[in-house]
């Protein structure tokens, strides 16, 4: 059965008990992303440290399927506490895997629970679901740095 | 065109689906590792019988040429095939051939009307006959909250260009147009609505909406994409001013749609797309335009698609649209009965067969539509998930996405049973059962 390949237990666990869910104060930037093909939404906030070099908190609200919710939950596990540069490396690796049509062998050292989404990559229609929260994170981080520049 | 079986047994709704399905090669393929395909997404696009594919191939192998140009034999044959297609499709929807314009799809048909009205609103260089299509600041375009984006966004754009105001009938909890919630005024210039909702399946009260539009002198634009493929539709009797439908939802090819317009309106309406073959006389300074329908068919048109659509119309006519509708209502009834009994399933749209067609949208408590769709897909069942290009309607019902099963003449009771079973399985898989 192919269903279990896609919905690995890790994904279902994150879906049922998402990590760091909800929107929190304080935050440096917020991003709202939608998937226009299905109407799914995520609002995600990022808080960096004083120097703007380390991810201190990521909080979010999602209205979407199990894949987009679980993926956003996994994202917070992988990037909170990391340097901004490292979080962008993780993001790139996740994106590469998700868009790889199942041909990219994910590195568990980098992606942790994120490797569970390798099965999703075989379903092109669901790749956007898996990336929704990640795109919000990327956008929010860009907004923080832009905000710092103009401040 | 003889492979459609005669009615077996009594009753209008009895269609011999076993024999009929043999006409649709795609229905016998398997998906996702050997699962039998259960295709319940005809509301998005319907499958095509061999008769349609053969008609396209025959045209291309024997008669292909650019229509309405050239004097050689193939040009004659291609033009005859194209105009014969127009005549057969017109007869199918109760219209005169001259009232039918071929477009790329139904979306283009609605845009054609909206842009013709926009062009009429810029009162420079067009004849006085076009003034009746002009809209301006303070005029109203009225639609409904259940419209497909194709019957919403073009009107938003017309309003933006002209200063007209977009208003809409809201939708009731049952999924009907709430006629009491909006009053048309003498500023209402257009009333545009879907004959049958592509999400809810509800059928609009066309006669009443036409009566109200007439009372204030507004044009009626009917989105017939979900009605013409599934039930008898006689556009002249409905007395609408314009209507659109698309080929690929009615067992025909993609890349062809139809705009219907009353003869006197098309006669007076300025063009949307301009260029070759829509002209009467061209000089360097200016041009005059051909009578309808050619005025609205600029460039070399889609031809094998029009021929294929006429073949689809012949195919449907042979079955009989009353029987098609009755068959789909049988399936809809079975789907409603089966889904209603599953705990946590909420039907979005009428929960009865009254004034309804064969689209059934629903949500499952605790399981997102995408995830329901994925479980169904894993079982070979193709449904649509998302907002089905009716985002405001989904917002109105407080949901981001629904699962939609939609039927056509080739679907069976067994397939409906598979759907119901699959929804149960989705609840179990996600632990909400």
């Amino acid at each position: 059965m192919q269903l279990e390949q896609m919905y690995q237990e890790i994904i279902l666990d994150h879906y049922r008990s998402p990590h760091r869910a909800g929107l929190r104060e304080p935050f440096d930037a917020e991003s709202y992303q939608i998937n226009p093909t299905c109407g799914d939404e995520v609002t995600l906030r990022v808080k960096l440290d004083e120097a703007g070099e380390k991810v201190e908190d990521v909080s979010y609200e999602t209205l979407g399927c199990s894949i987009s919710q679980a993926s956003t939950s996994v994202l917070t596990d992988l990037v909170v506490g990391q340097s901004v540069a490292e979080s962008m490396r993780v993001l790139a690796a996740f994106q590469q895997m998700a868009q790889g049509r199942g041909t990219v062998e994910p590195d568990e050292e980098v992606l942790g629970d994120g490797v569970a989404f390798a099965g999703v990559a075989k379903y092109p229609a669901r790749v956007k679901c898996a990336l929704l929260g990640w795109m919000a994170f990327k956008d929010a981080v860009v907004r923080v740095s832009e905000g710092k520049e103009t401040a | 065109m003889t492979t459609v079986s005669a009615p077996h047994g009594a009753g209008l709704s009895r269609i011999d689906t076993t024999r009929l399905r043999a006409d649709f090669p795609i229905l016998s393929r398997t998906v996702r590792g050997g699962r039998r395909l259960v295709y319940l997404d005809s509301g998005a696009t319907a499958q095509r019988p061999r008769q349609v594919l053969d008609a396209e191939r025959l045209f291309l192998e024997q008669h292909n040429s650019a229509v309405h140009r050239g004097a050689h034999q193939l040009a004659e044959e291609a033009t005859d095939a194209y105009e014969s297609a127009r005549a057969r499709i017109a007869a199918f929807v109760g219209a005169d051939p001259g009232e039918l314009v071929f477009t790329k799809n139904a979306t283009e048909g609605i845009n054609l009307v909206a842009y013709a009205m926009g062009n009429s609103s810029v009162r420079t260089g067009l004849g006085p006959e076009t003034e009746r299509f002009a809209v301006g600041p303070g005029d109203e375009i009225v639609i409904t909250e259940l419209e497909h984006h194709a019957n919403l966004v073009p009107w938003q754009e017309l309003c933006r260009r002209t200063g007209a105001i977009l208003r809409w009938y809201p939708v009731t909890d049952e999924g009907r147009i709430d006629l009491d919630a909006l009053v048309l005024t003498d500023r209402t210039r257009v009333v545009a609505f879907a004959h049958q909702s592509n999400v809810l399946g509800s059928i609009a009260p066309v006669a009443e909406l036409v009566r109200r539009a007439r009372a204030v002198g507004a044009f009626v634009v009917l989105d017939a994409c979900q009605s013409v493929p599934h039930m008898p539709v006689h556009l002249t009797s409905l007395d609408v001013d314009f209507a659109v439908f698309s080929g690929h939802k009615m067992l025909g090819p993609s890349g062809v749609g139809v705009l219907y317009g009353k003869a006197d309106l098309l006669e007076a309406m300025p063009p949307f797309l301009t260029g070759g073959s829509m002209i009467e006389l061209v000089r360097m300074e200016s041009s005059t335009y051909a009578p309808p329908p050619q005025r609205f068919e600029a460039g070399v048109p889609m031809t094998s698609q029009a021929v294929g659509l006429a073949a689809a119309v012949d195919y449907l006519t042979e079955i009989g649209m009353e029987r098609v509708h009755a068959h789909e209502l049988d399936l809809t009834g079975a789907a409603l009965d089966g889904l209603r009994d599953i705990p946590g399933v909420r039907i979005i749209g009428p929960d009865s067969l009254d004034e309804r067609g064969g689209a059934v949208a629903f949500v499952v408590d605790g399981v997102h539509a995408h995830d329901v769709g994925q479980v169904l897909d894993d079982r070979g069942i193709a449904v649509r998930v998302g907002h089905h290009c009716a985002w405001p309607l989904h917002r109105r019902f407080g949901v981001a996405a629904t699962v939609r099963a939609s039927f056509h003449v080739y679907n069976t009771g067994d397939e409906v049973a598979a759907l119901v079973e699959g929804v149960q399985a989705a609840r179990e898989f996600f632990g909400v059962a």
Side-chain angles (χ1 to χ4, degrees), chain A residues 1-4 6-7 12 15-16 34-40 63-67 122-123 125-126 129, chain B residues 32-33 35 366-368 370-372 374-375 377-379 384-388 391 395 400-401 429-431:
Chain A
M1 181 125 155
Q2 296 173 340
L3 211 53
E4 279 79 11
M6 175 166 189
Y7 294 109
L12 294 174
Y15 169 54
R16 293 184 192 119
I34 51 173
N35 182 348
T37 57
C38 62
D40 286 354
L63 178 65
C65 63
S66 60
I67 300 296
K122 293 175 189 155
Y123 296 84
R126 303 302 298 276
C129 309
Chain B
R32 298 286 185 223
R35 295 285 184 158
V367 190
H368 189 275
H370 260 174
D371 295 319
V372 177
Q374 201 74 48
V375 173
D377 176 58
D378 195 58
R379 302 163 80 90
R384 178 90 181 257
V385 296
H387 51 56
H388 326 305
W391 208 336
R395 241 177 245 124
F429 186 84
F430 286 97

Side-chain angles (χ1 to χ4, degrees), chain B residues 21-339:
Chain B
R21 286 172 70 89
D23 291 336
F24 295 81
I26 201 169
L27 296 180
S28 58
R29 70 160 283 185
T30 58
V31 292
R32 298 286 185 223
R35 295 285 184 158
R36 187 175 64 96
L37 171 66
V38 175
Y39 188 76
L40 302 180
D41 197 18
S42 295
T45 202
Q47 300 301 345
R48 303 169 205 174
R50 285 184 202 280
Q51 289 82 344
V52 168
L53 307 176
D54 289 348
E56 280 199 80
R57 174 172 279 276
L58 180 71
F59 173 82
L60 292 168
E61 288 183 346
Q62 295 293 326
H63 311 294
N64 187 41
S65 177
V67 303
H68 289 301
R69 305 158 164 72
H72 52 77
Q73 183 173 340
L74 289 190
E76 273 174 24
E77 290 176 6
T79 303
D80 282 351
Y82 182 70
E83 291 305 329
S84 157
R86 192 196 306 276
R88 281 142 69 203
I89 297 162
F92 182 71
V93 292
D96 286 330
E99 297 176 314
L100 245 63
V101 176
F102 283 122
T103 57
K104 170 176 80 174
N105 49 29
T107 298
E108 185 186 294
I110 293 172
N111 275 279
L112 193 161
V113 176
Y115 271 91
M117 295 187 77
N119 291 346
S120 305
S121 309
V122 186
R123 297 167 199 225
T124 50
L126 289 169
E129 73 280 2
T130 65
E131 297 229 338
R132 62 203 288 200
F133 300 105
V135 296
D139 283 341
E140 297 166 356
I141 309 291
V142 172
I143 59 172
T144 85
E145 201 176 12
L146 60 70
E147 297 311 311
H148 188 285
H149 297 165
N151 201 26
L152 160 57
V153 182
W155 302 117
Q156 289 176 338
E157 281 293 298
L158 178 63
C159 289
R160 189 182 57 73
R161 292 196 302 273
T162 61
I165 301 158
L166 188 71
R167 301 177 67 206
W168 52 89
Y169 286 101
V171 169
T172 67
D173 290 342
E174 205 217 346
R176 306 285 182 187
I177 298 168
D178 188 351
L179 293 172
D180 299 330
L182 184 136
V183 178
L184 303 182
T185 73
D186 57 7
R187 299 302 302 270
T188 308
R189 305 286 292 119
V190 175
V191 179
F193 58 95
H195 197 176
Q196 178 186 310
S197 162
N198 71 312
V199 178
L200 311 167
S202 49
I203 295 174
V206 181
E208 179 58 20
L209 282 162
V210 168
R211 190 188 67 74
R212 293 183 186 206
R214 289 281 168 268
V216 297
F219 293 121
V220 176
V221 179
L222 186 72
D223 171 2
C225 283
Q226 298 290 343
S227 57
V228 166
H230 303 288
M231 65 176 94
V233 174
H234 196 281
L235 293 173
T236 307
S237 304
L238 289 177
D239 193 31
V240 296
D241 297 300
F242 299 97
V244 297
F245 53 96
S246 53
H248 69 96
K249 294 190 199 295
M250 51 193 291
L251 317 185
S254 53
V256 63
V258 170
L259 166 69
Y260 159 86
K262 280 184 174 173
D264 64 312
L265 294 177
L266 290 185
E267 187 59 50
M269 200 163 77
F272 164 39
L273 299 175
T274 55
S277 57
M278 52 74 67
I279 51 88
E280 181 184 57
L281 180 72
V282 177
R283 298 183 196 284
M284 287 312 292
E285 296 76 17
S286 65
S287 304
T288 57
Y289 303 132
Q294 273 71 34
R295 187 188 304 159
F296 305 102
E297 295 180 356
V300 176
M302 67 301 287
T303 316
S304 63
Q305 293 92 328
V307 168
L309 180 53
V313 156
D314 292 345
Y315 187 89
L316 287 168
T317 303
E318 195 161 336
I319 300 169
M321 290 309 290
E322 286 88 359
R323 293 175 69 215
V324 171
H325 188 54
H327 177 72
E328 291 183 25
L329 276 187
D330 278 356
L331 299 174
T332 305
L336 290 173
D337 288 346
L339 292 169

